[in-house]
Amino acid sequence: AFIVRHVFRDATTGDEFKVGTRGAGRNLGAGSASTGAANLTIPTGAPAGIYRLRVCADPGTGRVPEVDETNNCRDAGNTTVI
């Protein structure tokens, strides 16, 4: 099964912290997409800053063998200020 990880990524430093996850089904093939809702929680003590939501499929688990492991994440266009 695929796991989708949601993180906030600092727009300046690139530092990240996890804000949620959701399942994405079993058979997410190359070039396909998964849509769904997720509850995101900003951790207590998260540093103030300007962040961009980043969503990653198969985040660092290696559960899905791929030729290119570097194309599993996408950043949102808008930023969020904490």
Side-chain angles (χ1 to χ4, degrees), residues 3-7 19-24 34-42 53-55:
I3 300 295
V4 176
R5 179 184 67 180
H6 302 82
V7 297
V19 293
T21 59
R22 74 171 180 84
S34 170
T35 60
N39 292 321
L40 307 181
T41 303
I42 298 170
L53 180 64
R54 169 170 267 213
V55 179

Side-chain angles (χ1 to χ4, degrees), residues 8-79:
F8 269 146
R9 183 176 190 159
D10 187 294
T12 304
T13 67
D15 293 342
E16 299 180 346
F17 58 88
K18 182 174 139 184
V19 293
T21 59
R22 74 171 180 84
R26 293 184 159 281
N27 299 311
L28 191 60
S32 61
S34 170
T35 60
N39 292 321
L40 307 181
T41 303
I42 298 170
T44 302
I50 300 171
Y51 292 89
R52 195 175 302 277
L53 180 64
R54 169 170 267 213
V55 179
C56 300
D58 190 31
T61 63
R63 295 171 100 186
V64 180
E66 302 174 75
V67 173
D68 184 357
E69 291 284 350
T70 65
N71 64 354
N72 293 335
C73 297
R74 293 288 182 265
D75 292 343
N78 296 329
T79 57

